[in-house]
Amino acid sequence: HKLLADRNLVLYCWEDTELQTNAAFLLGAYLLLVEGFSPDDAAAPFEKIEPSPFKMFRDATNLVSDFDISIKDCLNGLQRAAHAGFFDLETFDAEKFARNDALGLNVMCPKFIAFKGPESGPRRSSHPNEPNTPEEYISAFEGHGVAAVVRLNDLKYDPAVFTQQG
């Protein structure tokens, strides 16, 4: 922003690697979407920090990750989503995003929704990383018009819960 042109910006964040990584991504997203930076230029200030305090992003499971992506990878994806019309900062609904995020559900584009693999049975705790049951996804899927569920992880739930809903 013009008012900040001659000033240093300092971000203070708790010593929590996940919070630091998310904060760096959000700052990079601002540079990309508002200031018009390229993904490379938006990620560059964070790539210079040694040793890096940032975690790699990964899938939503608690299993060992076999595919990690960097802040720059995420910024590249955000730029592609914006160019394809899948993300618009002007129409972004933060409250809807927060509701979906609480379920471990991410609307990647209008025809594709990624979600944390459910597990059948009672919840063991209310911790956010605790897997949801298939039943907890049903109303969210109906609200998004989901017509099919494709499982890409280990089967830890009864698929009939989804098929019985149509």
Side-chain angles (χ1 to χ4, degrees), residues 9-53:
L9 177 64
V10 177
L11 171 69
Y12 175 81
C13 189
W14 296 105
E15 290 188 37
D16 179 308
T17 306
E18 288 182 14
L19 293 175
Q20 291 170 348
T21 305
N22 288 340
F25 171 75
L26 290 172
L27 287 169
Y30 170 83
L31 293 173
L32 179 89
L33 297 169
V34 177
E35 298 296 334
F37 282 40
S38 70
D40 287 340
D41 290 339
F46 310 111
E47 292 173 334
K48 294 177 184 176
I49 300 172
E50 291 293 335
S52 175

Side-chain angles (χ1 to χ4, degrees), residues 3 39 59 64 72 78 81 90 123 133-134 145 155-156 164:
L3 296 175
D59 66 12
V64 174
K72 187 186 335 185
L78 178 59
E90 299 299 319
R123 286 169 88 41
T133 64
L155 183 62
K156 295 185 176 187
Q164 288 171 354

Side-chain angles (χ1 to χ4, degrees), residues 22 74 116 143:
N22 288 340
C74 293
K116 187 175 181 178

